[in-house]
Amino acid sequence: MDENERGMEPYLCGESFHAMDLNQRFEDYIAADQKIEAKDWMPDEYRKTLIRQISQHAHSEIIGMLPEGNWITRAPSLKRKAILLAKVQDEAGHGLYLYSAAETLGANRDDLMDALIDGRAKYSSIFNYPTLSWADMGAIGWLVDGAAIMNQVPLCKCSYGPYARAMVRVCKEESFHQRQGFQIMLNLSEGTDEQRAMAQDSLNRWWWPSLMMFGPNDESSTHNEQSMRWKIKRFSNDELRQRFVDMTIPQVELLGLTVPDQDLKWNESTGHYEMGPIEWQEFFDVIAGNGPCNKERIAARKKAHRDGDWVREAASAYAQKMNAKATSNQTHAA
Amino acid sequence: MTKAQHIDWLLSLADDALILGQRLSEWCGHAPALEEDIALSNIALDLIGQSRALLSHAGRLEGAGRDEDRLAFFRSDREYRNLLLVELPNGHFGDTIARQFFYDQFALIRYTHLAQQTFDSEVAAIATKALKEVRYHAAHSAEWMIRLGDGTELSKARIQESVDRLWPFTGECFQEHTILDAAIASGAMPDRSRAQNTWNESVGAVLNQATLTKPEGSWKQSGGRDGLHTEHLSYMLAEMQVLPRLHPEAKW
């Protein structure tokens, strides 16, 4: 998008401004709902926050391929196999353009990947839970991708242009993922007794971890305030979680299933569902690396990367040879 | 071609695609780079799509009520008609690429003919679509053969080893076989020696560009078209078929 389309004078005029002026212009610009672009001036902290958030999102897509990839070879029909494969492939695509968005901020994909496999980077904790049945493909699509959409739709309007635009595409695909997940659940809930039990068991296991995906309660969330002001985050964790519950419970009822929350009830006066307390200790344990699959997930990613070292080295050696050849041909031609 | 031969022939086409697609789908999430996760999944998707169309066609022709899933999930290894080449384990990335390269070059020749033949118009329609996909697959695998062959010393040694190990499995593509002979006689399949020559030339040209040595050996591993497979297929099917076999009444 060029400056004219953005409808405002570019706020960056470089050297004539002192750092404080730049900062103020930056804040004003964001307050006016304008997009920051890759080459625009931005505070270091804004850049750092975005790199952290975008790369964590990219890592989540990549690690997220593993629990679902676990069922591709066992998908129960060829159509389901094709859909699941396409879905996991989309996630690789999301990872790719999110890493690219992070690169516009000066991050380097190889460094980000190293941070992931060294265990220095974070990713969505939900993927540290195991996928134990085919119904988990349904629950992940329906609940996990559903929660992700709830988190991500507001990001389509976030202040950083490349991220916002990447998210538009991600969200379109995620909504297809969510529908296919619900379709699997619907299919199971209308199926044999074993299939219905499979669906219920899966809902039991994924419900709470899905609610935890929105992050800690507002009063204990560390990154909220600054990110809200910078429009990197547009709604609080608790607001989004409530929206998710309000949207999902009618779907649970439609499936004829029940959520594993005895305290759940409809509050007529607020027009919202009230939910029972979340076991935050479990959330923090999983984040600290003690979930059921943290080590496996990282080990699998590390193995894929290390096993691929020789392939990537060969590709870059070959590309260098070709470049050298092209340069030497040009020299001769000249 | 008798009807039974016709169905068997369709199954041989479908099974090549399904089994290779199933193998490639094992890579999803484990490839050397994200771009290859995407490429290999994409190829797997194309192959599974081809197999679905071919299996459905075979099922309709048979007229015994077997649909694509019945044929995919309720046949034993002895009833599968695929080439041994496509059921071999993925190995490392070079093994997968060499297997894919040999198959793609074969598939290109086969689908080119299938798209033009008039024996089975349904197959011609499937092949016309598949041919577009296979051209892309063949370009992808040939490019990787060249990158790995002409990349580093290590990659050259590895991919040469893959080529040598897989070579004995390539002869089966062109081997004489009652059903395929009947298909050739009906004009449904390309002439054997001409197809083999074309394959040899195109494979030779890529190997040459990749600075690799084309193996000399003429020993062929075969049996796939008759349902006599390697030890690997039964494991693969056990994994692939587990859910429908465990819940035979269920719809998914």
Side-chain angles (χ1 to χ4, degrees):
Chain A
M1 200 184 291
D2 67 34
E3 299 297 342
N4 292 336
E5 281 178 81
R6 287 161 54 179
M8 252 182 102
E9 287 294 303
Y11 71 90
L12 169 66
C13 299
E15 291 132 27
S16 61
F17 285 98
H18 293 298
M20 229 163 92
D21 300 329
L22 282 171
N23 231 328
Q24 191 51 53
R25 275 182 84 89
F26 174 84
E27 298 280 349
D28 292 349
Y29 205 72
I30 284 186
D33 261 337
Q34 296 298 308
K35 293 275 183 269
I36 304 300
E37 295 299 332
K39 288 181 179 159
D40 293 342
W41 183 89
M42 61 189 84
D44 283 347
E45 198 52 37
Y46 176 84
R47 187 185 297 276
K48 261 170 61 186
T49 304
L50 272 171
I51 292 177
R52 189 189 66 233
Q53 185 173 328
I54 297 173
S55 64
Q56 281 180 11
H57 186 175
H59 297 330
S60 304
E61 298 282 356
I62 302 313
I63 295 291
M65 293 170 73
L66 299 170
E68 290 183 282
N70 183 36
W71 282 88
I72 292 173
T73 57
R74 289 175 293 167
S77 75
L78 294 182
K79 184 179 163 194
R80 292 279 172 220
K81 190 188 293 293
I83 294 172
L84 183 59
L85 195 48
K87 174 183 194 289
V88 182
Q89 187 196 27
D90 281 350
E91 276 147 19
H94 297 173
L96 204 54
Y97 40 84
L98 286 164
Y99 284 126
S100 304
E103 286 189 322
T104 65
L105 291 157
N108 173 295
R109 183 167 139 195
D110 292 337
D111 296 343
L112 295 174
M113 191 57 80
D114 284 343
L116 175 63
I117 62 183
D118 292 348
R120 284 178 282 129
K122 291 214 161 28
Y123 55 88
S124 181
S125 265
I126 194 88
F127 300 121
N128 290 319
Y129 290 88
T131 51
L132 301 178
S133 79
W134 171 252
D136 291 0
M137 299 305 98
I140 288 183
W142 172 43
L143 298 175
V144 175
D145 293 339
I149 293 170
M150 213 47 105
N151 272 329
Q152 289 166 7
V153 165
L155 294 175
C156 299
K157 290 187 178 167
C158 94
S159 60
Y160 187 58
Y163 189 27
R165 289 189 290 274
M167 290 316 298
V168 171
R169 186 162 163 196
V170 169
C171 284
K172 276 186 194 154
E173 293 178 351
E174 290 295 351
S175 95
F176 152 74
H177 297 171
Q178 205 220 354
R179 281 203 299 277
Q180 69 86 35
F182 186 75
Q183 192 58 48
I184 290 176
M185 294 304 276
L186 189 61
N187 212 286
L188 293 174
S189 70
E190 291 171 348
T192 63
D193 291 348
E194 285 99 338
Q195 285 177 302
R196 270 196 301 281
M198 207 185 268
Q200 182 61 57
D201 168 64
S202 185
L203 174 57
N204 292 348
R205 285 181 288 109
W206 292 94
W207 177 251
W208 290 111
S210 298
L211 296 188
M212 293 176 199
M213 280 179 72
F214 296 94
N217 290 127
D218 291 349
E219 62 270 19
S220 45
S221 176
T222 43
H223 301 300
N224 259 339
E225 207 179 307
Q226 175 74 288
S227 292
M228 295 274 258
R229 190 158 52 84
W230 276 341
K231 296 184 181 169
I232 296 173
K233 192 176 169 75
R234 308 200 65 140
F235 298 96
S236 79
N237 295 352
D238 286 333
E239 275 176 291
L240 291 169
R241 186 168 16 246
Q242 184 66 53
R243 257 191 226 185
F244 175 75
V245 171
D246 289 345
M247 182 193 78
T248 308
I249 295 301
Q251 297 170 354
V252 174
E253 285 164 1
L254 184 75
L255 293 171
L257 303 174
T258 47
V259 293
D261 179 358
Q262 292 179 335
D263 298 329
L264 186 103
K265 58 175 183 287
W266 173 249
N267 184 326
E268 195 70 52
S269 62
T270 60
H272 293 293
Y273 284 94
E274 286 172 9
M275 54 195 117
I278 293 175
E279 294 260 347
W280 288 111
Q281 194 50 48
E282 175 182 326
F283 176 75
F284 292 114
D285 283 346
V286 179
I287 284 194
N290 298 322
C293 299
N294 298 52
K295 290 185 178 58
E296 263 176 73
R297 300 291 185 240
I298 292 298
R301 191 84 288 278
K302 194 182 253 176
K303 182 175 188 308
H305 199 69
R306 291 287 165 259
D307 287 353
D309 283 345
W310 71 279
V311 175
R312 294 188 307 277
E313 278 159 21
S316 75
Y318 178 75
Q320 274 170 19
K321 277 185 207 177
M322 291 301 106
N323 284 340
K325 217 182 239 177
T327 315
S328 119
N329 284 347
Q330 271 173 4
T331 318
H332 285 301
Chain B
M1 230 189 319
T2 64
K3 184 174 156 188
Q5 285 175 325
H6 191 169
I7 293 164
D8 247 10
W9 169 63
L10 292 174
L11 289 178
S12 75
L13 301 173
D15 292 349
D16 283 352
L18 176 57
I19 296 301
L20 187 55
Q22 172 77 3
R23 272 289 181 236
L24 285 180
S25 74
E26 294 170 15
W27 272 104
C28 194
H30 306 278
L34 270 177
E35 287 82 349
E36 285 311 301
D37 270 314
I38 294 172
L40 295 177
S41 310
N42 213 34
I43 297 168
L45 263 174
D46 288 342
L47 291 168
I48 289 165
Q50 292 164 15
S51 77
R52 291 179 65 193
L54 290 161
L55 286 174
S56 297
H57 179 40
R60 279 193 299 270
L61 187 67
E62 185 189 48
R66 293 204 286 182
D67 62 7
E68 58 179 53
D69 287 331
R70 196 75 209 169
L71 286 166
F73 295 98
F74 290 89
R75 277 184 300 146
S76 72
D77 55 322
R78 293 300 291 264
E79 295 167 283
Y80 263 80
R81 293 281 170 264
N82 59 280
L83 297 166
L84 300 182
L85 177 70
V86 297
E87 73 198 40
L88 297 176
N90 285 336
H92 57 60
F93 184 74
D95 293 329
T96 291
I97 286 298
R99 182 185 67 195
Q100 193 66 34
F101 166 63
F102 289 142
Y103 175 78
D104 288 341
Q105 294 300 323
F106 166 62
L108 206 50
I109 296 163
R110 189 168 59 176
Y111 277 123
T112 303
H113 181 89
L114 290 177
Q116 290 160 1
Q117 52 76 38
T118 52
F119 173 78
D120 184 329
S121 59
E122 175 92 29
V123 169
I126 296 168
T128 303
K129 179 170 182 283
L131 191 54
K132 290 181 196 145
E133 298 164 349
V134 170
R135 283 203 188 103
Y136 156 76
H137 304 170
H140 174 261
S141 58
E143 279 165 18
W144 270 111
M145 288 300 292
I146 295 163
R147 268 187 216 116
L148 296 176
D150 196 13
T152 62
E153 265 180 52
L154 176 67
S155 69
K156 186 190 176 81
R158 285 202 174 156
I159 193 69
Q160 182 69 57
E161 204 192 333
S162 309
V163 165
D164 294 346
R165 195 168 49 241
L166 293 171
W167 188 257
F169 291 92
T170 58
E172 196 182 12
C173 299
F174 306 102
Q175 212 187 16
E176 292 183 8
H177 186 274
T178 334
I179 292 177
L180 297 177
D181 291 348
I184 293 168
S186 315
M189 286 285 276
D191 174 73
R192 174 174 294 108
S193 62
R194 209 171 326 140
Q196 188 157 17
N197 287 340
T198 311
W199 186 87
N200 265 314
E201 275 169 32
S202 47
V203 165
V206 174
L207 290 179
N208 192 37
Q209 205 189 333
T211 71
L212 295 169
T213 310
K214 193 173 164 192
E216 296 286 328
S218 60
W219 170 251
K220 290 179 211 162
Q221 296 291 352
S222 64
R225 299 295 189 213
D226 291 313
L228 283 167
H229 292 274
T230 64
E231 289 177 344
H232 308 293
L233 185 66
S234 169
Y235 282 102
M236 185 208 254
L237 292 181
E239 182 176 337
M240 184 175 98
Q241 298 177 334
V242 60
L243 276 175
R245 297 248 184 179
L246 197 57
H247 306 279
E249 304 305 317
K251 291 193 174 59
W252 306 92

